[in-house]
C-alpha cells in the first residue's frame, strides 16, 4: 500500500481524496456563513457550536489543517514533476494544444488561494484561537455580554473595501482552481466514462456557485455595515 501512494498514480489518487475532503469542508463552511445573510442569530448559534464542540475543535480541526497542508504540499510536488515531464517532452509534442490554460497553471491559482488562506487565518482563525485558548474565553459573548460576538466580528471584517477586494479576487481564483481540480479529482478517483458528463456538470456548478456565494456574502456585509 505504501508503494502505491509513492507512485505517480497513487499520489494523484491521494490528491483527489484530499480535494474531495476540502471541497466538502468548503460546502459546510459556506452553509454556515450564508446564515449570516439570512439570520444573524442562526449564524451566531451555528458558529458557537462549531467553535466550542470538542469533536470539531480537537478532532476535525486538526484533520482539516493536515488536509490543507497535505493538499498544497502534494500539489506542489505533482506540479514540479509535471513541469519536469513537460520540459522533456516539449520537443515531441505541443502539450498546450491538448490541455487548458488552467490545467497547465494550477500552481498559480493554488498560490493565490494559499495567500488568501493566510489572510483568512489572520482575520478569523488566529484571533479565535487566541480568544478561546489563550485568553480562556469560551463563552463566545461580546465584551458587554449582550449576545454572541461572531456576527459582529464577521460584519466588521468586511467594512474595509481592500479586504473585500482581496476576498473577491481570491474566490475568483478558487473558482478557476475548482473548475479544473474538481473534474480532475473525479478522473483520478476512477470515475467511469458513463458518469463523466454528469460529474463534469456537477463540478462546473459547484465551482461557480460556491465561490460566487462567498463573494455575495462579502459584498452583502460590506454594503450593509452600519
Amino acid at each position: 500500500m505504501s508503494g502505491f501512494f509513492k507512485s505517480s498514480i497513487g499520489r494523484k489518487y491521494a490528491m483527489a481524496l484530499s480535494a474531495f475532503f476540502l471541497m466538502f469542508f468548503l460546502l459546510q463552511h459556506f452553509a454556515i456563513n450564508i446564515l449570516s445573510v439570512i439570520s444573524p442569530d442562526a449564524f451566531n448559534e451555528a458558529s458557537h457550536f462549531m467553535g466550542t464542540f470538542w469533536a470539531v475543535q480537537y478532532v476535525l480541526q486538526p484533520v482539516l489543517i493536515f488536509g490543507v497542508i497535505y493538499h498544497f504540499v502534494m500539489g506542489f510536488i505533482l506540479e514540479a514533476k509535471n513541469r519536469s515531464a513537460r520540459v522533456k517532452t516539449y520537443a515531441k509534442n505541443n502539450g498546450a494544444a491538448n490541455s487548458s490554460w488552467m490545467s497547465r497553471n494550477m500552481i498559480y491559482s493554488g498560490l493565490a488561494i494559499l495567500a488568501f488562506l493566510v489572510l483568512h487565518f489572520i482575520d478569523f482563525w488566529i484571533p479565535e484561537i487566541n480568544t478561546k485558548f489563550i485568553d480562556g474565553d469560551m463563552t463566545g459573548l461580546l465584551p458587554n455580554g449582550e449576545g454572541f460576538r461572531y456576527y459582529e466580528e464577521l460584519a466588521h471584517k468586511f467594512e474595509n473595501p481592500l479586504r473585500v477586494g482581496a476576498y473577491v479576487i481570491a474566490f475568483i481564483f478558487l473558482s478557476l482552481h475548482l473548475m479544473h481540480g474538481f473534474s480532475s479529482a473525479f478522473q483520478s478517483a476512477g470515475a467511469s466514462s458513463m458518469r463523466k458528463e454528469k460529474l463534469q456538470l456537477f463540478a462546473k456548478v459547484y465551482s461557480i456557485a460556491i465561490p460566487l456565494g462567498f463573494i455575495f456574502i462579502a459584498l452583502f456585509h460590506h454594503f450593509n455595515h452600519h
Side-chain angles (χ1 to χ4, degrees):
M1 182 62 74
S2 61
F4 172 75
F5 284 105
K6 289 180 181 179
S7 66
S8 177
I9 295 176
R11 288 194 184 99
K12 289 181 179 179
Y13 187 78
M15 186 71 171
L17 292 179
S18 67
F20 288 136
F21 171 73
L22 294 176
M23 286 184 282
F24 175 77
F25 164 76
L26 192 65
L27 183 62
Q28 174 266 327
H29 195 47
F30 172 74
I32 293 176
N33 281 12
I34 195 65
L35 290 175
S36 68
V37 173
I38 301 170
S39 169
D41 289 338
F43 173 74
N44 276 330
E45 292 288 346
S47 297
H48 186 65
F49 172 78
M50 295 297 290
T52 56
F53 184 48
W54 68 269
V56 174
Q57 291 300 300
Y58 302 112
V59 179
L60 296 181
Q61 188 166 254
V63 171
L64 173 63
I65 293 172
F66 172 79
V68 169
I69 295 173
Y70 178 86
H71 188 76
F72 277 100
V73 171
M74 184 58 68
F76 293 141
I77 290 173
L78 289 174
E79 178 66 19
K81 290 183 177 296
N82 289 340
R83 284 179 179 269
S84 176
R86 282 199 294 268
V87 169
K88 293 177 182 178
T89 60
Y90 184 77
K92 297 181 180 179
N93 59 74
N94 183 8
N98 301 312
S99 60
S100 66
W101 181 90
M102 195 63 245
S103 67
R104 300 192 307 275
N105 294 278
M106 288 288 280
I107 187 70
Y108 299 117
S109 60
L111 286 171
I113 295 167
L114 184 59
F116 161 73
L117 284 176
V118 172
L119 171 63
H120 194 61
F121 272 38
I122 292 172
D123 273 350
F124 294 101
W125 190 75
I126 293 177
E128 191 70 12
I129 293 297
N130 181 71
T131 298
K132 290 188 297 190
F133 298 108
I134 297 178
D135 295 340
D137 181 7
M138 300 291 286
T139 65
L141 297 176
L142 290 164
N144 60 13
E146 297 180 1
F148 287 128
R149 58 183 168 78
Y150 308 103
Y151 180 84
E152 295 295 332
E153 290 175 349
L154 177 70
H156 174 69
K157 290 297 182 182
F158 290 124
E159 290 179 7
N160 188 327
L162 293 178
R163 180 180 280 105
V164 173
Y167 271 71
V168 170
I169 292 171
F171 281 116
I172 291 173
F173 274 106
L174 177 63
S175 180
L176 294 172
H177 193 82
L178 288 170
M179 197 77 71
H180 171 73
F182 210 152
S183 57
S184 177
F186 281 128
Q187 184 175 344
S188 297
S192 65
S193 57
M194 292 180 61
R195 296 181 180 178
K196 189 174 181 180
E197 188 173 334
K198 292 182 179 179
L199 292 174
Q200 285 181 336
L201 176 61
F202 174 73
K204 186 174 292 186
V205 171
Y206 180 101
S207 301
I208 295 173
I210 298 302
L212 192 61
F214 276 109
I215 289 173
F216 169 74
I217 293 169
L219 294 176
F220 175 88
H221 289 296
H222 176 68
F223 290 111
N224 286 278
H225 72 80
H226 301 290

